[in-house]
Amino acid sequence: MKTPNKVRERKLEPSSTPEDVPYCESPSKVNKSDQTGVFIAGNHEAEMCYGGEADLHKHVTDCKKNPGHKGFIPLKDFNASCLPSRYHDDDLMSETIKTLGALTVQVKTKFTSRERPEFYPGTQVPYPFYNDRGSHVMRLGTGRAKWVFKYIERDGTCRCAKCQVSAKPSKIWGELRVVTATHVVFDDSEARQTRCVLGFDDNKSPVVSLDGWEVWRADIEGDRCKLSYVTCDLELVDELDKMCRYFYDICRVVNNKYGKHDNVDKLAVIVSHPHGCPKQVSVGQWTHKHMKDGYRTRYWYTTCTCPGSSGATVYTLEYDCSWDYQHPHSGSNFEGNYSGEY
């Protein structure tokens, strides 16, 4: 992608290799016992940086969630051998995960809304960052590019930061809609002080940052948020549109081919920016799921995550991730790592 911005270099150490880490150990013992159908919110996995980006290296080395980060595979090193043996001779699945990686974005927020609730709805469980309301502390998460729209003059001029102060704002512009977790970006006041970082596959990757505009939908209880970013870089808009469409197409092919094996492999793959670092792939299994109202589901899985992984897509074969199907990573509790609802 063009128009590179300088990115502070950070590494997850020790880094993992595909041969070392075919699967991640479960972060905590799953205990369903009497909890089937009951959800208790645990620890969120957004990365809060009270000292700015300078904090991130310390967060990596002092990580208590996943010391050593042995379950992460750098996106550039990911291949079919990182997946269960069923997929070793077929590049179709690895191509799907690499495309998911290309659509994975870092979400950087520099404001905490004054409207955040004190508790999750109907509970006494504290809602993330309530005590930080009104502050300008940086918060990092992950998201996935899902939809691209192009607008012309009748829809208004471009809303990016550059055009907002220009005497001649662009009359043709694009909007990228991203899905992340609601606790990462809560409402419009946060969205407009959020940037979406595309690229950042490794420490040498050129990146592009897009300006946040608004939240289209924020489900607090389900922890699933849709928000928009804007740009007048039309070449980038077209590139993202093609990539999103390709991902939808390849997901359908993979789901038709391998979906019947889901109850065997229970594959759960996540591409995220743990600790604000370059993209990492983690491979695991979903262990169980809770269903709400007969159709909304939430997954638990062994797939490794860290602070900074909140909002990343949890790729499973049960849902083919085409169009609107997506479970964002949300956090971890006594049952393990869990997703938001869809």
Side-chain angles (χ1 to χ4, degrees):
M1 294 180 179
K2 61 180 185 176
T3 319
N5 295 334
K6 186 176 180 181
V7 175
R8 183 183 181 89
E9 292 196 1
R10 295 182 294 279
K11 295 182 179 179
L12 285 176
E13 297 176 347
S15 61
S16 319
T17 64
E19 292 74 23
D20 293 334
V21 194
Y23 268 93
C24 174
E25 295 291 336
S26 175
S28 61
K29 185 178 180 180
V30 174
N31 178 13
K32 291 185 285 185
S33 61
D34 298 325
Q35 296 298 325
T36 302
V38 176
F39 172 67
I40 300 174
N43 297 319
H44 68 80
E45 292 199 342
E47 183 77 277
M48 203 70 166
C49 303
Y50 291 95
E53 291 201 35
D55 273 357
L56 291 175
H57 179 71
K58 183 175 185 297
H59 291 172
V60 171
T61 56
D62 295 345
C63 178
K64 293 181 174 58
K65 170 70 190 295
N66 185 9
H69 301 103
K70 294 181 180 180
F72 290 120
I73 306 165
L75 180 62
K76 62 184 178 63
D77 296 333
F78 181 81
N79 57 53
S81 68
C82 305
L83 294 165
S85 58
R86 186 189 309 280
Y87 312 104
H88 286 185
D89 296 326
D90 188 350
D91 291 332
L92 182 62
M93 180 63 81
S94 60
E95 176 67 13
T96 303
I97 303 305
K98 289 179 180 178
T99 307
L100 171 62
L103 293 172
T104 297
V105 302
Q106 186 180 57
V107 178
K108 302 176 73 170
T109 307
K110 294 186 177 180
F111 181 68
T112 301
S113 172
R114 293 179 177 86
E115 302 302 318
R116 283 188 175 242
E118 185 174 4
F119 303 107
Y120 281 95
T123 77
Q124 292 298 304
V125 178
Y127 192 74
F129 314 120
Y130 172 79
N131 292 330
D132 294 298
R133 289 172 302 155
S135 72
H136 291 268
V137 179
M138 185 174 72
R139 183 170 60 253
L140 299 176
T142 303
R144 183 188 123 201
K146 289 208 66 176
W147 306 274
V148 180
F149 301 89
K150 188 182 288 187
Y151 298 100
I152 57 178
E153 187 175 6
R154 69 167 180 259
D155 302 305
T157 55
C158 181
R159 299 166 178 174
C160 74
K162 181 181 70 175
C163 286
Q164 289 292 296
V165 297
S166 172
K168 295 183 178 180
S170 178
K171 296 180 180 180
I172 303 176
W173 51 286
E175 175 192 4
L176 173 66
R177 293 188 189 173
V178 168
V179 174
T180 186
T182 303
H183 75 262
V184 175
V185 181
F186 185 78
D187 60 14
D188 288 351
S189 69
E190 293 186 2
R192 292 182 183 178
Q193 297 194 53
T194 297
R195 303 211 88 187
C196 167
V197 182
L198 300 153
F200 202 15
D201 294 355
D202 57 44
N203 287 315
K204 297 181 180 179
S205 297
V207 302
V208 177
S209 295
L210 303 185
D211 298 314
W213 180 249
E214 63 185 343
V215 167
W216 279 83
R217 181 188 178 194
D219 179 353
I220 300 174
E221 191 173 358
D223 203 22
R224 189 170 183 269
C225 172
K226 302 177 185 178
L227 64 156
S228 65
Y229 296 89
V230 290
T231 180
C232 49
D233 184 340
L234 300 181
E235 184 178 334
L236 176 63
V237 170
D238 290 340
E239 179 183 350
L240 287 169
D241 183 53
K242 290 178 182 177
M243 197 182 304
C244 287
R245 292 177 185 277
Y246 176 66
F247 183 64
Y248 301 148
D249 291 341
I250 197 171
C251 277
R252 292 190 184 96
V253 174
V254 168
N255 189 258
N256 288 335
K257 183 173 183 179
Y258 290 114
K260 61 185 177 181
H261 300 302
D262 187 57
N263 287 328
V264 178
D265 296 323
K266 294 187 175 181
L267 191 66
V269 182
I270 295 175
V271 184
S272 69
H273 287 280
H275 302 295
C277 293
K279 295 173 187 174
Q280 306 287 320
V281 184
S282 46
V283 180
Q285 293 178 301
W286 62 268
T287 56
H288 61 292
K289 61 186 176 182
H290 292 171
M291 183 168 287
K292 176 183 174 183
D293 300 330
Y295 69 97
R296 285 169 59 115
T297 57
R298 186 189 302 270
Y299 282 94
W300 271 257
Y301 34 86
T302 65
T303 317
C304 286
T305 60
C306 271
S309 297
S310 277
T313 291
V314 183
Y315 178 83
T316 70
L317 285 169
E318 190 170 47
Y319 284 85
D320 64 9
C321 285
S322 64
W323 295 103
D324 202 33
Y325 298 116
Q326 176 173 334
H327 290 80
H329 174 62
S330 185
S332 63
N333 63 9
F334 65 95
E335 295 186 81
N337 288 337
Y338 62 83
S339 73
E341 292 179 351
Y342 180 81

